Amino acid sequence: MWRLFVFWLSLVCLVVCNSCRDKADERMYQRLSYWDSMVDSVPQLVLDSLQRINSEDMNRSNKAYYGLLKVISDDKTYVNFTSDSLISSVGDYYRLHDPKNSNYIRALAYQGIVRTRMGVKDSTVYEPLREAGRLFVSMNNPDPSLGYMINYFLGNIHYNNRNYVSADEYFRRTLDYAREERDSIHLFDTYLALYWNEMVQEKLDRGKLYLDTLSGFYNRLPGKDYFILNAQSIYYDMTGEPEKALEREKELLRVT
C-alpha cells in the first residue's frame, strides 16, 4: 500500500513539474517572439535583452530561436562575425526537428549572410541562400521581409562575382518585396544596388533613372544622404561633369 502511495505521489509530482516546465517554456517563447517583432527596428535593444538571459536553461526549441535572434541582432548592430558555428547549429536544429518552420528559412538565409560578412567566397555562401529561396517560394503566405533579404543577398553575391544580369534579376525581385513591405529603407537600398549594377556596366542612361529615384530620398532617411551624394558624384564624374562632381564631394565632406 505504501509503495503504491509513493508511486502515485511521484507520478503527480512529475506531472506538476512537467506542467510548470511547459508553462516556463511557453513564457520564454512569448518573450522571444516579442523581441523578434522588434529586431528590425531596435536591434540593439533586442541584443541587450538577449544578453541578460541564460540560454542554457531553455529547451532546445527556444534555444534555437534564441540563437537565431542573437545572430540577427548581431548582424543588424554590425558585430564582426568570426564564426558561423551558432547559425549553423540553429539551422541544423530546424532542419532535423522543425523544417517547416519559417525560422528554418531565416536560419539558412543568415548562414549565407554571416559567411558573407566573414569574407567567405566559396559556394558555402551561395548554397544556403539558394535553398532558403527554394523553400521560400513554396510557402503559403511568404513574408515579404524574408523574400527581400534572401533576394538582396543573392543579388549581392552575383554582383560581386560580376554576374550582372543575374544580379539585376535578383535585385528586381528584391524591389518587388520591398514595395510589398512598404519599407523605405529597403526600397532605398534596393534602388542603390540597382544603380551600381548599371553603373559598373557603364549603362549610364539606366543608371540615371535609378539615381533620380535615389535623389528623391535626400534628407528623408537617416544616414542615407552620404550614399546619395556619393552616387551623384560618381555619375557626374563618369559623364564628364567635374564641377558637379566636385560640389557633391564637398557636400560629402560636410555630411561625413
Side-chain angles (χ1 to χ4, degrees):
M1 187 69 179
W2 174 251
R3 289 182 180 177
L4 184 61
F5 171 76
V6 171
F7 170 77
W8 284 109
L9 181 61
S10 300
L11 184 60
V12 169
C13 290
L14 182 61
V15 170
V16 170
C17 288
N18 284 337
S19 177
C20 292
R21 181 64 185 177
D22 289 343
K23 289 180 180 178
D25 290 338
E26 178 60 25
R27 286 196 297 271
M28 178 53 66
Y29 175 78
Q30 294 298 331
R31 290 176 70 185
L32 293 171
S33 297
Y34 174 65
W35 291 331
D36 195 358
S37 69
M38 301 161 54
V39 73
D40 285 332
S41 55
V42 283
Q44 186 61 59
L45 182 61
V46 172
L47 183 59
D48 292 342
S49 299
L50 291 171
Q51 290 173 341
R52 294 192 186 101
I53 59 177
N54 183 6
S55 63
E56 296 303 316
D57 296 333
M58 300 178 188
N59 63 13
R60 295 182 68 187
S61 175
N62 284 341
K63 189 178 292 187
Y65 197 3
Y66 171 94
L68 178 62
L69 293 180
K70 176 69 167 59
V71 169
I72 294 174
S73 55
D74 278 347
D75 174 61
K76 292 183 179 297
T77 53
Y78 308 106
V79 170
N80 289 323
F81 290 104
T82 58
S83 170
D84 65 347
S85 59
L86 177 56
I87 192 59
S88 295
S89 66
V90 170
D92 288 342
Y93 171 82
Y94 285 114
R95 176 174 56 83
L96 295 172
H97 301 284
D98 200 2
K100 294 185 178 180
N101 193 319
S102 62
N103 281 345
Y104 178 43
I105 302 177
R106 297 169 79 190
L108 284 170
Y110 269 96
Q111 274 187 322
I113 292 169
V114 167
R115 290 166 183 169
T116 298
R117 301 283 196 233
M118 291 170 60
V120 177
K121 302 291 186 181
D122 58 29
S123 62
T124 60
V125 173
Y126 180 72
E127 290 302 328
L129 279 163
R130 186 173 67 172
E131 177 64 10
R134 186 187 68 80
L135 294 173
F136 176 79
V137 297
S138 68
M139 296 177 69
N140 291 327
N141 296 299
D143 179 2
S145 297
L146 188 53
Y148 165 86
M149 179 179 66
I150 293 169
N151 284 280
Y152 181 82
F153 277 93
L154 282 169
N156 269 337
I157 289 172
H158 283 287
Y159 175 84
N160 291 330
N161 289 327
R162 301 181 182 181
N163 300 323
Y164 303 121
V165 174
S166 295
D168 183 74
E169 292 175 1
Y170 280 112
F171 287 143
R172 288 181 181 279
R173 291 181 205 166
T174 304
L175 186 60
D176 289 338
Y177 288 119
R179 285 170 173 161
E180 190 176 346
E181 287 182 287
R182 298 182 180 180
D183 187 307
S184 297
I185 291 177
H186 285 178
L187 279 169
F188 177 89
D189 289 343
T190 307
Y191 280 123
L192 187 64
L194 285 163
Y195 167 77
W196 287 117
N197 197 55
E198 298 296 349
M199 295 300 287
V200 76
Q201 301 174 80
E202 297 187 5
K203 296 180 178 179
L204 303 184
D205 290 341
R206 294 182 62 173
K208 180 62 163 57
L209 294 175
Y210 291 123
L211 182 61
D212 289 343
T213 301
L214 288 168
S215 299
F217 286 93
Y218 195 75
N219 281 335
R220 288 175 52 195
L221 297 176
K224 298 300 185 181
D225 287 354
Y226 174 89
F227 300 99
I228 296 171
L229 292 167
N230 184 56
Q232 291 174 342
S233 174
I234 296 298
Y235 175 81
Y236 290 130
D237 188 55
M238 291 181 68
T239 55
E241 300 178 82
E243 295 84 2
K244 290 184 178 180
L246 183 59
E247 288 176 6
R248 299 311 187 274
E249 288 292 332
K250 290 179 179 178
E251 188 64 15
L252 269 175
L253 292 174
R254 186 190 65 79
V255 170
T256 304

